[in-house]
Amino acid sequence: MSADGVIEAQGLARRFGAVEAVRSLSTRIGPGGITALLGPNGSGKSTFLRLLIGLVRPDAGTARVDGAALVGDGLAIRRRVTYLGGELHAYGELTGAAHLDWCLRGREDAARARARVLAERFELPLAKKVRAYSHGMKRQLLLSAALAPDVRVRILDEPSEGLDPTRRAEVLALLRDEAARGVTLLVSSHHLGEVERASTRQLFLRRGELLDEGAARDLAARARAALRVTWERAPDPPALARALAGVGAVETRLAGATGTFFFPGDAQGERGRAALRALLDARELGAPRELSYGELSLSELYRELYGTEGV
Amino acid sequence: MNRPGTPWLFALAYLVILEVMLAAAVLFWPDLAANLPAARRLAAPIPVLGQFVDRVSETGVRGYLIGQHFFKGCNTLGTAAAVLFAAPAIAGEAHRGTLELLLARPYSRARLLLERWAGGALAVTVPVFLSTLTIPLLCTRVNEVQPYGPLLWCALHQSLFLLAIHALAFLCSVLGSHPTKIALAILFFTTFEFSIYMIKVVTHWSVFRLCDLDTLLAVADGGRLDVRLVLPLLAWIGLCVAAALFAFRRRCP
């Protein structure tokens, strides 16, 4: 199989003093699609992305990106990918146009023209010095540079951080266009809503470790096991317990007027159907307003994994 | 001036100041030449300065100009420029958070570093040569004649000395993240070294002995570089740049 557009990591590890930022991380991403890298602050997302392009040297492990091996300072990889850093700093003394040119030195000439088109689409004042740009404008300027070169892999660390909702939507549309062209995008984000909308695959990092694909499948299975019922008003917990008494032990989560019930295997199985019947028959709970099977939002998965609420 | 970190504007300012100091020194020569005995009496309490005036008395306008332009102008202003150009080269990027932008471009770290080093090295040395080239022309204003050759040998020796200081500051810049602290520390060191040059009992501990009037006059008279001084300077520059390259290859953004 061709390695074009594929990101592969084998046992990548990096320690900063006593902190193991990335622990023996192995994965294969692409070709194509938007892969979201998720995890709380300090989980190792940015370090992993930096390791992939040679900005940080690994203590152990290997990586290949778009067919190029991570050797030395990663030059071969950086020639084949574009990267947007998570920390937002720019050369304030340059104009926006000069900054784009500076970022795109070493790239094909057409990349500069494409970057300007993108920047104009973002309505950036390219003749102004970058020091006059807002936080979001700087992000868009750097994103324009990261999306301009004609490469098969883009690694973007929080590309929509600091943008207003309109611009976020525009950035997501751009990323989807890129993915539709066959480009492999590895995108880190804290914004679970947009990841849920845009990504084709999610990787979860916790304390420098990637949850294995089995865990990801478990998450999908967990989602399939969920029955969600929303009533007009918050149900009385004892009434809920009485209604489900005949079904056997059911893991229940109640958040306001919405109850999520988990069943072994599939929520549409025998026990799930019996539980739904019991809930519908329980007059004291009232009629449900909304029902759904097998759906868990990314923020709920995030909470399942980390015990914290996603954005 | 499209590449952040290249101090061309500062280099231009450095050249202008160097040239103004040189022009003032040249124009002052007739007055000094007429009053050298008085100058010797004034300098007598400071033995090192007294020797300096004695050497000017012996060598005339050549010794005076070499002392004024190289020992005074380039050793003070040039040293400051070398430190101020080198200290922010990498530490400045780290300090303002743009190091990741620099490193993420499709260039090898060796190339990125050597570009930075070369930019600073040229900014330090080119003004020395350019200002030196104007000395013969300025001398015609005071009816003196100075050949280019000896002066250019002195400029070369002076440049190597300044590059040695630049290399030290550059290495510190690669290792650190606070350009102001680096610059202040090295400027403190060089000021201390320049001040002990003036103290007779410790003058031999000063690095400025490597580029003082006697040394430069020997270079000018011999019409060639002194290998005993140049080789250690070149070795020091090479060592600092190699160490900087080694450290930069491992540096995280």
Side-chain angles (χ1 to χ4, degrees), chain B residues 19-35:
Chain B
E19 192 60 34
V20 168
M21 287 168 65
L22 175 63
V26 171
L27 296 176
F28 182 62
W29 168 246
D31 285 342
L32 182 72
N35 294 287

Side-chain angles (χ1 to χ4, degrees), chain A residues 14 16 50 54-55 57 73 75 78-79 83 85 89-91 93-94 98-99 102-103 105-107 142, chain B residues 1-4 93 96-98 100-110 116 249-253:
Chain A
R14 174 69 197 210
F16 294 106
R50 288 170 167 181
L55 289 185
R57 288 196 170 216
D73 66 8
L75 175 61
R78 285 200 305 282
R79 283 183 175 146
Y83 171 77
H89 300 282
Y91 296 102
E93 71 270 31
L94 297 184
H99 204 294
W102 186 86
C103 287
R105 273 197 181 184
R107 304 286 185 186
L142 297 178
Chain B
M1 187 51 197
N2 202 8
R3 189 167 73 80
E93 300 282 351
R96 64 175 173 176
T98 48
E100 188 172 40
L101 272 182
L102 179 72
L103 297 179
R105 297 193 308 166
Y107 294 119
S108 70
R109 291 213 179 186
R116 283 289 158 108
R249 282 189 166 141
R250 278 150 186 79
R251 174 141 195 174
C252 295

